[in-house]
Amino acid sequence: MNQTIKELYERKSVRMYTDEAITEEEKRLILESALQAPTAGNMALYSIIDVQDQSLKDELAIRCDHQPFIAKAPLVLIFLADYQKWFDMFNEYTPGVPQLEESDLFLATQDCIIAAQNAVVAAESLGIGSCYIGDILENFEENQKLLHLPKYAVPFVMVVFGRPTEQQKTRQKPKRFTVEDMVSIDTYHQKTIVETKQMFMKQSGKSEEELGKYISSFAKRKFFAEFRDEMNRSSREMLKHWIK
């Protein structure tokens, strides 16, 4: 196992940080690594906001379901699905370009996520932890104003970075599903409920008797949660904003 693969295996979400700063050189390396990511047609359909203003961090921590560690993170990056620069250039040189549509947004979100993951991998190689913040999908209209975003730039991914505390270093990484359970050959394998239960028992370490309570707890936390209602509402508004 080489060093890159080792770091992919070891990387986990880090939500508690030491007081040691991330240097400007390290930040530059993380940002430059993000820009080396694969991108559709080399269009780089994303932009990155380096959130340095503490009041902005504080506000984002509140808006992202009241998670104080966001405000304490030494580095906060927001990755925007951003087609604005190309839309402007198309109109400059080929007037009459139609409004962008759903596929354009989906393509930009792919670029955006790939760039974010490059940044995460680069940070891990420098001993800097990271945590994805999916809640940036909430409060779309307010965040659009907060970050002064044009029509075709929407906040899609936020990642916070910092050096992990000793407790975070030693905390066990949650077990992942196995290749055998996650990979199908040629066509999708629709598992029976028995196969699916076995898959979840292997991943969670729960017995069949414990599994129901475990899944119900997960559903309550992730599926029947208030934040999901706002995330769904916000996502619909993002789509309407993009294509109207």
Side-chain angles (χ1 to χ4, degrees), residues 5-21:
I5 294 175
K6 181 174 182 291
E7 287 163 359
L8 289 173
Y9 272 69
E10 292 178 350
R11 188 267 162 196
K12 57 195 173 189
S13 295
V14 172
R15 297 178 176 86
M16 295 175 63
Y17 315 109
T18 69
D19 293 332
E20 186 179 354

PDB file of all heavy atoms in Angstrom, residues 5-21:
ATOM      1  N   ILE A   5      -2.603   5.850  -0.956  1.00  0.00           N
ATOM      2  CA  ILE A   5      -3.693   4.936  -0.611  1.00  0.00           C
ATOM      3  C   ILE A   5      -3.814   4.794   0.909  1.00  0.00           C
ATOM      4  O   ILE A   5      -4.923   4.751   1.454  1.00  0.00           O
ATOM      5  CB  ILE A   5      -3.480   3.573  -1.297  1.00  0.00           C
ATOM      6  CG1 ILE A   5      -3.606   3.735  -2.813  1.00  0.00           C
ATOM      7  CG2 ILE A   5      -4.478   2.536  -0.781  1.00  0.00           C
ATOM      8  CD1 ILE A   5      -3.297   2.504  -3.620  1.00  0.00           C
ATOM      9  N   LYS A   6      -2.692   4.760   1.599  1.00  0.00           N
ATOM     10  CA  LYS A   6      -2.714   4.691   3.068  1.00  0.00           C
ATOM     11  C   LYS A   6      -3.478   5.875   3.655  1.00  0.00           C
ATOM     12  O   LYS A   6      -4.300   5.723   4.569  1.00  0.00           O
ATOM     13  CB  LYS A   6      -1.283   4.665   3.604  1.00  0.00           C
ATOM     14  CG  LYS A   6      -1.162   4.567   5.117  1.00  0.00           C
ATOM     15  CD  LYS A   6       0.318   4.408   5.505  1.00  0.00           C
ATOM     16  CE  LYS A   6       0.474   4.245   7.018  1.00  0.00           C
ATOM     17  NZ  LYS A   6       0.159   5.474   7.756  1.00  0.00           N
ATOM     18  N   GLU A   7      -3.238   7.067   3.121  1.00  0.00           N
ATOM     19  CA  GLU A   7      -3.919   8.258   3.631  1.00  0.00           C
ATOM     20  C   GLU A   7      -5.416   8.240   3.302  1.00  0.00           C
ATOM     21  O   GLU A   7      -6.232   8.717   4.090  1.00  0.00           O
ATOM     22  CB  GLU A   7      -3.247   9.513   3.063  1.00  0.00           C
ATOM     23  CG  GLU A   7      -1.885   9.773   3.704  1.00  0.00           C
ATOM     24  CD  GLU A   7      -1.009  10.732   2.924  1.00  0.00           C
ATOM     25  OE1 GLU A   7      -1.451  11.206   1.853  1.00  0.00           O
ATOM     26  OE2 GLU A   7       0.120  10.990   3.374  1.00  0.00           O
ATOM     27  N   LEU A   8      -5.791   7.671   2.169  1.00  0.00           N
ATOM     28  CA  LEU A   8      -7.208   7.530   1.840  1.00  0.00           C
ATOM     29  C   LEU A   8      -7.899   6.594   2.835  1.00  0.00           C
ATOM     30  O   LEU A   8      -9.036   6.843   3.248  1.00  0.00           O
ATOM     31  CB  LEU A   8      -7.374   6.997   0.415  1.00  0.00           C
ATOM     32  CG  LEU A   8      -7.015   7.966  -0.714  1.00  0.00           C
ATOM     33  CD1 LEU A   8      -7.059   7.246  -2.051  1.00  0.00           C
ATOM     34  CD2 LEU A   8      -7.941   9.172  -0.732  1.00  0.00           C
ATOM     35  N   TYR A   9      -7.206   5.524   3.202  1.00  0.00           N
ATOM     36  CA  TYR A   9      -7.758   4.592   4.188  1.00  0.00           C
ATOM     37  C   TYR A   9      -7.891   5.249   5.560  1.00  0.00           C
ATOM     38  O   TYR A   9      -8.848   4.990   6.288  1.00  0.00           O
ATOM     39  CB  TYR A   9      -6.855   3.357   4.309  1.00  0.00           C
ATOM     40  CG  TYR A   9      -7.169   2.235   3.350  1.00  0.00           C
ATOM     41  CD1 TYR A   9      -6.943   2.371   1.987  1.00  0.00           C
ATOM     42  CD2 TYR A   9      -7.668   1.023   3.813  1.00  0.00           C
ATOM     43  CE1 TYR A   9      -7.222   1.343   1.105  1.00  0.00           C
ATOM     44  CE2 TYR A   9      -7.950  -0.019   2.935  1.00  0.00           C
ATOM     45  CZ  TYR A   9      -7.724   0.146   1.581  1.00  0.00           C
ATOM     46  OH  TYR A   9      -8.008  -0.887   0.716  1.00  0.00           O
ATOM     47  N   GLU A  10      -6.921   6.077   5.921  1.00  0.00           N
ATOM     48  CA  GLU A  10      -6.869   6.626   7.280  1.00  0.00           C
ATOM     49  C   GLU A  10      -7.697   7.895   7.444  1.00  0.00           C
ATOM     50  O   GLU A  10      -8.081   8.244   8.567  1.00  0.00           O
ATOM     51  CB  GLU A  10      -5.416   6.917   7.655  1.00  0.00           C
ATOM     52  CG  GLU A  10      -4.575   5.646   7.806  1.00  0.00           C
ATOM     53  CD  GLU A  10      -3.123   5.938   8.133  1.00  0.00           C
ATOM     54  OE1 GLU A  10      -2.720   7.130   8.062  1.00  0.00           O
ATOM     55  OE2 GLU A  10      -2.380   4.986   8.447  1.00  0.00           O
ATOM     56  N   ARG A  11      -8.002   8.588   6.363  1.00  0.00           N
ATOM     57  CA  ARG A  11      -8.705   9.865   6.466  1.00  0.00           C
ATOM     58  C   ARG A  11     -10.099   9.669   7.069  1.00  0.00           C
ATOM     59  O   ARG A  11     -10.838   8.764   6.716  1.00  0.00           O
ATOM     60  CB  ARG A  11      -8.802  10.499   5.072  1.00  0.00           C
ATOM     61  CG  ARG A  11      -9.334  11.927   5.080  1.00  0.00           C
ATOM     62  CD  ARG A  11     -10.820  11.974   4.891  1.00  0.00           C
ATOM     63  NE  ARG A  11     -11.373  13.267   5.306  1.00  0.00           N
ATOM     64  CZ  ARG A  11     -12.658  13.476   5.530  1.00  0.00           C
ATOM     65  NH1 ARG A  11     -13.532  12.493   5.391  1.00  0.00           N
ATOM     66  NH2 ARG A  11     -13.079  14.655   5.922  1.00  0.00           N
ATOM     67  N   LYS A  12     -10.450  10.540   8.000  1.00  0.00           N
ATOM     68  CA  LYS A  12     -11.780  10.535   8.625  1.00  0.00           C
ATOM     69  C   LYS A  12     -12.164  11.972   8.917  1.00  0.00           C
ATOM     70  O   LYS A  12     -11.315  12.879   8.910  1.00  0.00           O
ATOM     71  CB  LYS A  12     -11.764   9.709   9.918  1.00  0.00           C
ATOM     72  CG  LYS A  12     -10.745  10.183  10.942  1.00  0.00           C
ATOM     73  CD  LYS A  12     -10.516   9.146  12.030  1.00  0.00           C
ATOM     74  CE  LYS A  12      -9.375   9.568  12.941  1.00  0.00           C
ATOM     75  NZ  LYS A  12      -8.966   8.515  13.866  1.00  0.00           N
ATOM     76  N   SER A  13     -13.425  12.217   9.179  1.00  0.00           N
ATOM     77  CA  SER A  13     -13.883  13.572   9.483  1.00  0.00           C
ATOM     78  C   SER A  13     -13.297  14.043  10.804  1.00  0.00           C
ATOM     79  O   SER A  13     -13.305  13.307  11.797  1.00  0.00           O
ATOM     80  CB  SER A  13     -15.411  13.614   9.545  1.00  0.00           C
ATOM     81  OG  SER A  13     -15.961  13.327   8.280  1.00  0.00           O
ATOM     82  N   VAL A  14     -12.801  15.272  10.805  1.00  0.00           N
ATOM     83  CA  VAL A  14     -12.179  15.862  11.996  1.00  0.00           C
ATOM     84  C   VAL A  14     -12.964  17.113  12.373  1.00  0.00           C
ATOM     85  O   VAL A  14     -13.093  18.039  11.568  1.00  0.00           O
ATOM     86  CB  VAL A  14     -10.693  16.207  11.741  1.00  0.00           C
ATOM     87  CG1 VAL A  14     -10.112  16.996  12.905  1.00  0.00           C
ATOM     88  CG2 VAL A  14      -9.894  14.934  11.493  1.00  0.00           C
ATOM     89  N   ARG A  15     -13.481  17.133  13.611  1.00  0.00           N
ATOM     90  CA  ARG A  15     -14.319  18.243  14.062  1.00  0.00           C
ATOM     91  C   ARG A  15     -13.750  18.979  15.268  1.00  0.00           C
ATOM     92  O   ARG A  15     -14.389  19.893  15.791  1.00  0.00           O
ATOM     93  CB  ARG A  15     -15.726  17.719  14.393  1.00  0.00           C
ATOM     94  CG  ARG A  15     -16.466  17.145  13.196  1.00  0.00           C
ATOM     95  CD  ARG A  15     -17.828  16.594  13.592  1.00  0.00           C
ATOM     96  NE  ARG A  15     -18.585  16.119  12.443  1.00  0.00           N
ATOM     97  CZ  ARG A  15     -18.467  14.889  11.925  1.00  0.00           C
ATOM     98  NH1 ARG A  15     -17.621  14.013  12.475  1.00  0.00           N
ATOM     99  NH2 ARG A  15     -19.192  14.537  10.882  1.00  0.00           N
ATOM    100  N   MET A  16     -12.558  18.589  15.719  1.00  0.00           N
ATOM    101  CA  MET A  16     -11.894  19.282  16.825  1.00  0.00           C
ATOM    102  C   MET A  16     -10.449  19.531  16.427  1.00  0.00           C
ATOM    103  O   MET A  16      -9.760  18.613  15.964  1.00  0.00           O
ATOM    104  CB  MET A  16     -11.969  18.438  18.108  1.00  0.00           C
ATOM    105  CG  MET A  16     -13.379  18.228  18.639  1.00  0.00           C
ATOM    106  SD  MET A  16     -13.415  17.107  20.070  1.00  0.00           S
ATOM    107  CE  MET A  16     -12.431  18.064  21.248  1.00  0.00           C
ATOM    108  N   TYR A  17      -9.998  20.787  16.639  1.00  0.00           N
ATOM    109  CA  TYR A  17      -8.702  21.194  16.122  1.00  0.00           C
ATOM    110  C   TYR A  17      -7.804  21.764  17.219  1.00  0.00           C
ATOM    111  O   TYR A  17      -8.281  22.345  18.191  1.00  0.00           O
ATOM    112  CB  TYR A  17      -8.882  22.248  15.021  1.00  0.00           C
ATOM    113  CG  TYR A  17      -9.968  21.886  14.042  1.00  0.00           C
ATOM    114  CD1 TYR A  17     -11.183  22.579  14.024  1.00  0.00           C
ATOM    115  CD2 TYR A  17      -9.811  20.828  13.149  1.00  0.00           C
ATOM    116  CE1 TYR A  17     -12.191  22.241  13.135  1.00  0.00           C
ATOM    117  CE2 TYR A  17     -10.812  20.481  12.269  1.00  0.00           C
ATOM    118  CZ  TYR A  17     -12.005  21.184  12.266  1.00  0.00           C
ATOM    119  OH  TYR A  17     -13.001  20.847  11.397  1.00  0.00           O
ATOM    120  N   THR A  18      -6.507  21.606  17.006  1.00  0.00           N
ATOM    121  CA  THR A  18      -5.547  22.239  17.903  1.00  0.00           C
ATOM    122  C   THR A  18      -5.497  23.734  17.579  1.00  0.00           C
ATOM    123  O   THR A  18      -6.097  24.195  16.602  1.00  0.00           O
ATOM    124  CB  THR A  18      -4.142  21.632  17.727  1.00  0.00           C
ATOM    125  OG1 THR A  18      -3.636  22.006  16.434  1.00  0.00           O
ATOM    126  CG2 THR A  18      -4.185  20.106  17.842  1.00  0.00           C
ATOM    127  N   ASP A  19      -4.749  24.460  18.367  1.00  0.00           N
ATOM    128  CA  ASP A  19      -4.611  25.908  18.134  1.00  0.00           C
ATOM    129  C   ASP A  19      -3.556  26.223  17.074  1.00  0.00           C
ATOM    130  O   ASP A  19      -3.374  27.397  16.718  1.00  0.00           O
ATOM    131  CB  ASP A  19      -4.229  26.616  19.443  1.00  0.00           C
ATOM    132  CG  ASP A  19      -5.357  26.549  20.468  1.00  0.00           C
ATOM    133  OD1 ASP A  19      -6.532  26.473  20.042  1.00  0.00           O
ATOM    134  OD2 ASP A  19      -5.063  26.553  21.681  1.00  0.00           O
ATOM    135  N   GLU A  20      -2.868  25.204  16.579  1.00  0.00           N
ATOM    136  CA  GLU A  20      -1.810  25.441  15.602  1.00  0.00           C
ATOM    137  C   GLU A  20      -2.408  25.906  14.276  1.00  0.00           C
ATOM    138  O   GLU A  20      -3.315  25.277  13.731  1.00  0.00           O
ATOM    139  CB  GLU A  20      -0.992  24.166  15.383  1.00  0.00           C
ATOM    140  CG  GLU A  20       0.217  24.370  14.488  1.00  0.00           C
ATOM    141  CD  GLU A  20       1.025  23.098  14.308  1.00  0.00           C
ATOM    142  OE1 GLU A  20       0.706  22.089  14.969  1.00  0.00           O
ATOM    143  OE2 GLU A  20       1.964  23.119  13.489  1.00  0.00           O
ATOM    144  N   ALA A  21      -1.897  26.985  13.768  1.00  0.00           N
ATOM    145  CA  ALA A  21      -2.436  27.570  12.538  1.00  0.00           C
ATOM    146  C   ALA A  21      -2.051  26.750  11.311  1.00  0.00           C
ATOM    147  O   ALA A  21      -1.055  26.016  11.319  1.00  0.00           O
ATOM    148  CB  ALA A  21      -1.933  28.996  12.380  1.00  0.00           C
TER     149      ALA A  21
END
